[in-house]
Amino acid sequence: MRDFSFKNATDIRFGKDHIDAELHDAVAQFGNNVLFIYGGHSIQKSGLYDRVKGLLNDLNVVELGGVEPNPKISSVRDGQKLAQDNNVDVILAVGGGSVIDAAKVISSAKFYNGDAWDLVVNANGADSYKLDEVPIVDILTLSATGTEMNHNAVISNPEINEKIGTRVPETPAISFLDPELTETVPARQTAAGSIDIMSHLTEQYFDRDDANDVSKGMIEGLMRTVIKWAPVAIKNPSNYDARANLMWSSTMALNGIVSVANVTGWTVHPLEHELSAYYDITHGIGLGILTPRWMKQVIEDETTLPLFARLARIVWHLTGDDDLTLAKQAIQKTYEWNASLGAEMTLPEVGISDDSKFDVMAKAGVEEGQLETAGYIKLTPADVVAIYQDSMTPEMF
Amino acid sequence: MRDFSFKNATDIRFGKDHIDAELHDAVAQFGNNVLFIYGGHSIQKSGLYDRVKGLLNDLNVVELGGVEPNPKISSVRDGQKLAQDNNVDVILAVGGGSVIDAAKVISSAKFYNGDAWDLVVNANGADSYKLDEVPIVDILTLSATGTEMNHNAVISNPEINEKIGTRVPETPAISFLDPELTETVPARQTAAGSIDIMSHLTEQYFDRDDANDVSKGMIEGLMRTVIKWAPVAIKNPSNYDARANLMWSSTMALNGIVSVANVTGWTVHPLEHELSAYYDITHGIGLGILTPRWMKQVIEDETTLPLFARLARIVWHLTGDDDLTLAKQAIQKTYEWNASLGAEMTLPEVGISDDSKFDVMAKAGVEEGQLETAGYIKLTPADVVAIYQDSMTPEMF
């Protein structure tokens, strides 16, 4: 097992009864000037907006609404100005991953006098780690990205067609995770979020440090949890236990715990980013299409087969003596589980029926993910084109 | 799933190459006055004592050596005086659970002017949570208790025959976990430590909140890890991966992550505490004897059987359709695994051949664990006597 360092000080308040009892003091302990960040109208429709405003009615609250699903640098710049103009002491982010991601960059940007995009790309001497930070309190409304307990943020800059993942110095100070708030998430978003969680787990499971059974064992448990509860949440959106298991799984999947000591980078995410860059498709759906095809592509490497067979036995409860057969069955199960959630399983179904961009996408994906050197299994652009091509039809084996 | 709060800010430095590179700054960031706490001569024999002293040679180091395996309040009082007399800024605890447990109470006791025992029992208005604390940096040399990343400390007061578990305000600030330091741990202690880890996992797995698949899934992965690697470490003490998997499992088993949302208390630990109170037996060995008998006692309750069958399938890889058969096989496997580590599996083998104290032990164990109300399965003193009696002979089913 490789050496690692791990620290994560986010204070999690999980469940139905924390927000009303604790939100005010959780925010006010940091000061009176609050920047309240949220996305579209869903928190107004659901009543969460009024609830939050009511709880903070003795504080000075300025608002940044309308943060986009893929948060834009323009929203971050707006937040930076609001934070500076109002000498904000604390940021309250209410929403899904996008809102919290934007809050994370604004948190450092308050203490930076240049363009906030510098912080995202670490340009012009801007390094958020050298700056002070406004503490973040958040209320999560969607189970998917894990941003509520990690250092990551993804910000888009449409002026220059860039979408960049950045790492901020501190995880959120306090995250309120109330599964009830996700009961109104539509089936399709629930499916995409669940597939996203499974993909995070898969990317971390297939790692070259094959001696780390602690991480692999915990990942297997989280996978079984998501496999079991996502269909329940889709069939019965107000099943609290389903929402709770998905919510806590999504946090645990990406708070760093299950990837300590990992050595190799992610593969399917860079390949999906290229799809999203050229076509307007949902991230989780794209991952669900690509993952089984990536698995097919790498399954017969002698170093991967034992781990695929382990996945088959422990996660999919398959039995048998032949590893290759088991591995193929596990991949088929992955495909069928994605499909059972109502997710499209081919590229043409999501509007990509033309393969003319595959070469350029493959090249860029290999470069982004350093897939020829840093990936779990080496992939060349030609390998990636094969994965995209294989995603054009539903046939698996 | 029940509501919960979770926060754990301990900074973990795991692996071979952290101590020499990072120990000095990890300690010195808190100040120049260091209280260095350790146990017996093993860190002198192994060279760790000299290594640590060398790394801290520009700091003012006062020492408290000789902390006992079950740390006594007299050692804590000695540490309190040293910390106060030398205005200590930081405590460096080097050793196993006992040394770190003592350090945790000394950490608050520096700021208390009465008897440190008051802090352990929360008497005389002493409440460590209301006091300041000296930060703790530790170097762990034994994988078992999980103290390196939790709030727990167990302190003995032989003058009044008490051994009390207490909860301190903060987890250690920084814990260095170097699996190499455990390669000299003898086979018997490795076995007892591994059985202790398995017991921590078992106590948290059998919980009444049956909707929490996140915790149960992660526990299953940790159990499989310990089951796999403990025999390897015993057979080949310097197998680094075995020591690393055991070390990280022991931390993850008791840092709070896998018991969030749990609702019921522990059962086998209170029953073992009574054995230890009356006889000089090793904690982990006592747990290993009692656990399969407790399982036998509660297996046929209709609420427990599905979880035992799940344990059988997921942790012990057993197959079959009859839950009771599977459950019994899982219990047998638990017994055989303990025995395979070289642990004694009956009370007479550890010197308890007389059942005359079982009644009084059972009554005290039920009271300590509130087993008639707060346990996973209600146990009366008569049930506990049956568990002790069943532990007199090797027969299981």
Side-chain angles (χ1 to χ4, degrees):
Chain A
M1 198 190 296
R2 307 297 172 104
D3 282 15
F4 65 85
S5 296
F6 177 80
K7 180 181 179 180
N8 190 321
T10 297
D11 184 344
I12 296 289
R13 314 283 177 94
F14 188 97
K16 294 183 264 206
D17 295 324
H18 286 285
I19 293 174
D20 291 332
E22 300 165 21
L23 182 70
H24 177 275
D25 290 358
V27 171
Q29 69 177 313
F30 298 115
N32 287 321
N33 298 334
V34 185
L35 175 58
F36 172 22
I37 307 184
Y38 52 94
H41 296 293
S42 65
I43 71 161
Q44 274 139 344
K45 270 195 291 184
S46 71
L48 182 58
Y49 174 88
D50 288 334
R51 187 174 163 200
V52 166
K53 291 278 283 187
L55 289 166
L56 305 184
N57 64 3
D58 65 330
L59 304 175
N60 308 323
V61 179
V62 292
E63 297 185 27
L64 174 67
V67 173
E68 311 79 8
N70 287 300
K72 291 182 187 160
I73 190 63
S74 53
S75 292
V76 174
R77 289 170 182 145
D78 292 345
Q80 178 184 26
K81 185 162 172 12
L82 282 170
Q84 291 174 341
D85 291 350
N86 297 279
N87 194 23
V88 154
D89 302 308
V90 50
I91 296 173
L92 174 64
V94 180
S98 303
V99 169
I100 299 173
D101 281 9
K104 283 173 164 175
V105 181
I106 295 168
S107 164
S108 291
K110 184 201 162 186
F111 300 97
Y112 183 61
N113 287 323
D115 180 6
W117 185 249
D118 294 346
L119 293 168
V120 176
V121 295
N122 291 313
N124 296 324
D127 176 354
S128 59
Y129 284 86
K130 294 180 186 153
L131 301 169
D132 201 354
E133 270 198 309
V134 183
I136 294 171
V137 177
D138 65 74
I139 299 175
L140 185 67
T141 60
L142 185 74
S143 304
T145 75
T147 188
E148 62 277 8
M149 201 179 177
N150 68 33
H151 295 270
N152 307 332
V154 181
I155 306 293
S156 293
N157 189 339
E159 297 154 29
I160 54 174
N161 283 314
E162 289 206 55
K163 181 176 171 179
I164 303 271
T166 190
R167 202 178 142 79
V168 303
E170 298 293 335
T171 62
I174 305 177
S175 290
F176 287 87
L177 312 185
D178 179 354
E180 282 189 329
L181 297 178
T182 65
E183 290 178 6
T184 49
V185 173
R188 186 177 166 76
Q189 263 185 281
T190 301
S194 301
I195 294 170
D196 197 15
I197 302 168
M198 276 297 278
S199 176
H200 296 157
L201 293 167
T202 304
E203 300 267 31
Q204 295 171 101
Y205 188 71
F206 287 97
D207 183 85
R208 283 272 169 187
D209 186 349
D210 58 8
N212 182 355
D213 280 311
V214 180
S215 290
K216 286 193 171 34
M218 291 192 292
I219 290 173
E220 287 158 350
L222 293 168
M223 285 177 164
R224 288 195 306 272
T225 303
V226 177
I227 290 167
K228 171 179 169 180
W229 288 107
V232 178
I234 286 169
K235 196 172 165 195
N236 180 0
S238 58
N239 184 307
Y240 181 82
D241 285 328
R243 296 298 188 174
N245 275 279
L246 290 176
M247 188 166 239
W248 188 226
S249 294
S250 70
T251 305
M252 283 303 304
L254 216 52
N255 64 5
I257 279 272
V258 301
S259 66
V260 296
N262 271 10
V263 291
T264 43
W266 293 23
T267 297
V268 181
H269 272 67
L271 303 190
E272 197 288 322
H273 287 166
E274 296 306 316
L275 290 184
S276 291
Y278 287 88
Y279 302 93
D280 181 28
I281 73 167
T282 303
H283 176 59
I285 302 296
L287 293 169
I289 294 171
L290 294 176
T291 296
R293 278 73 181 211
W294 166 74
M295 289 177 162
K296 253 179 82 176
Q297 178 82 15
V298 304
I299 189 182
E300 295 199 53
D301 183 297
E302 61 183 12
T303 63
T304 68
L305 195 51
L307 191 51
F308 274 104
R310 174 174 169 164
L311 180 81
R313 291 188 176 96
I314 309 253
V315 174
W316 294 106
H317 306 298
L318 297 164
T319 53
D321 294 325
D322 182 59
D323 279 3
L324 184 57
T325 305
L326 280 173
K328 287 183 176 175
Q329 288 171 342
I331 296 171
Q332 188 66 39
K333 284 275 191 188
T334 302
Y335 182 102
E336 287 166 9
W337 181 80
N338 291 347
S340 78
L341 303 181
E344 296 86 352
M345 288 307 296
T346 65
L347 292 178
E349 287 174 85
V350 293
I352 307 174
S353 47
D354 149 29
D355 63 6
S356 64
K357 298 195 184 75
F358 286 177
D359 282 336
V360 60
M361 284 161 48
K363 196 161 169 295
V366 166
E367 199 174 302
E368 181 197 332
Q370 299 177 279
L371 300 181
E372 291 192 288
T373 53
Y376 174 62
I377 290 294
K378 179 186 161 176
L379 290 184
T380 64
D383 296 327
V384 174
V385 168
I387 289 169
Y388 289 141
Q389 286 291 1
D390 196 28
S391 305
M392 297 297 277
T393 59
E395 288 76 30
M396 284 297 292
F397 295 104
Chain B
M1 198 190 296
R2 306 297 172 104
D3 282 16
F4 65 86
S5 295
F6 177 80
K7 180 180 178 179
N8 190 321
T10 297
D11 184 345
I12 297 289
R13 313 283 177 93
F14 189 98
K16 294 182 265 205
D17 295 323
H18 287 284
I19 293 173
D20 291 334
E22 300 165 21
L23 182 70
H24 176 275
D25 290 357
V27 171
Q29 69 177 312
F30 298 115
N32 287 321
N33 298 333
V34 184
L35 175 57
F36 172 21
I37 306 184
Y38 53 94
H41 296 293
S42 65
I43 71 162
Q44 273 140 344
K45 270 195 292 185
S46 71
L48 182 58
Y49 174 89
D50 288 335
R51 185 175 165 202
V52 166
K53 291 279 282 186
L55 289 166
L56 305 184
N57 64 4
D58 65 332
L59 303 176
N60 308 322
V61 179
V62 291
E63 297 186 25
L64 173 68
V67 173
E68 311 79 6
N70 288 301
K72 292 181 186 158
I73 189 64
S74 53
S75 292
V76 174
R77 288 170 183 147
D78 293 346
Q80 178 184 25
K81 184 162 173 12
L82 282 170
Q84 290 174 342
D85 290 352
N86 297 280
N87 196 22
V88 154
D89 301 309
V90 51
I91 296 173
L92 174 64
V94 180
S98 303
V99 169
I100 299 172
D101 281 9
K104 284 174 165 175
V105 181
I106 295 166
S107 163
S108 291
K110 185 200 161 187
F111 300 97
Y112 182 61
N113 288 323
D115 180 6
W117 185 249
D118 294 346
L119 292 168
V120 176
V121 294
N122 291 313
N124 297 323
D127 176 354
S128 60
Y129 283 86
K130 294 179 184 154
L131 302 168
D132 201 354
E133 271 199 309
V134 184
I136 295 171
V137 177
D138 65 76
I139 299 176
L140 185 68
T141 60
L142 185 73
S143 304
T145 76
T147 189
E148 63 276 9
M149 202 179 178
N150 68 34
H151 296 270
N152 307 333
V154 181
I155 306 294
S156 293
N157 189 338
E159 298 155 29
I160 53 173
N161 284 313
E162 289 204 56
K163 182 175 171 181
I164 304 269
T166 191
R167 203 177 141 79
V168 303
E170 297 293 335
T171 62
I174 305 178
S175 289
F176 287 87
L177 312 184
D178 178 355
E180 282 189 329
L181 298 178
T182 66
E183 290 178 8
T184 51
V185 174
R188 186 176 166 76
Q189 262 185 283
T190 302
S194 301
I195 293 170
D196 197 16
I197 303 168
M198 275 298 277
S199 177
H200 296 159
L201 294 167
T202 303
E203 300 268 31
Q204 295 171 101
Y205 187 72
F206 287 97
D207 183 84
R208 284 270 168 185
D209 187 348
D210 58 6
N212 181 355
D213 281 312
V214 180
S215 290
K216 286 194 174 27
M218 291 193 291
I219 290 173
E220 288 158 350
L222 293 168
M223 285 178 165
R224 287 195 306 272
T225 303
V226 178
I227 290 167
K228 171 178 170 181
W229 289 106
V232 178
I234 287 169
K235 195 171 167 196
N236 181 359
S238 59
N239 183 307
Y240 181 83
D241 285 328
R243 297 297 188 175
N245 275 278
L246 290 176
M247 189 166 237
W248 188 227
S249 293
S250 70
T251 305
M252 283 304 304
L254 215 53
N255 64 5
I257 279 272
V258 301
S259 66
V260 296
N262 271 11
V263 291
T264 44
W266 292 22
T267 297
V268 181
H269 273 67
L271 303 189
E272 198 288 321
H273 286 166
E274 296 306 316
L275 290 184
S276 292
Y278 286 89
Y279 302 94
D280 181 29
I281 72 168
T282 304
H283 176 60
I285 302 296
L287 293 170
I289 293 171
L290 294 176
T291 297
R293 277 72 181 212
W294 166 74
M295 289 177 161
K296 254 179 81 176
Q297 178 80 15
V298 303
I299 189 183
E300 294 199 54
D301 183 297
E302 62 184 10
T303 63
T304 67
L305 195 51
L307 190 51
F308 274 104
R310 173 174 168 164
L311 180 82
R313 291 188 176 96
I314 309 254
V315 174
W316 294 106
H317 306 298
L318 298 164
T319 52
D321 294 325
D322 181 59
D323 279 3
L324 184 58
T325 305
L326 281 173
K328 287 182 176 174
Q329 289 171 341
I331 296 171
Q332 187 67 37
K333 284 274 193 189
T334 302
Y335 182 102
E336 288 165 9
W337 180 80
N338 291 346
S340 78
L341 303 181
E344 296 86 352
M345 288 307 294
T346 65
L347 292 178
E349 287 174 86
V350 292
I352 307 174
S353 46
D354 151 28
D355 62 7
S356 64
K357 295 196 185 74
F358 287 178
D359 282 335
V360 60
M361 285 161 48
K363 195 161 168 295
V366 167
E367 198 174 304
E368 182 196 332
Q370 300 177 280
L371 301 181
E372 291 192 287
T373 51
Y376 174 62
I377 289 293
K378 178 185 162 178
L379 290 184
T380 64
D383 296 328
V384 174
V385 169
I387 290 170
Y388 289 142
Q389 286 291 3
D390 196 30
S391 306
M392 297 297 278
T393 59
E395 288 75 31
M396 284 297 290
F397 295 104

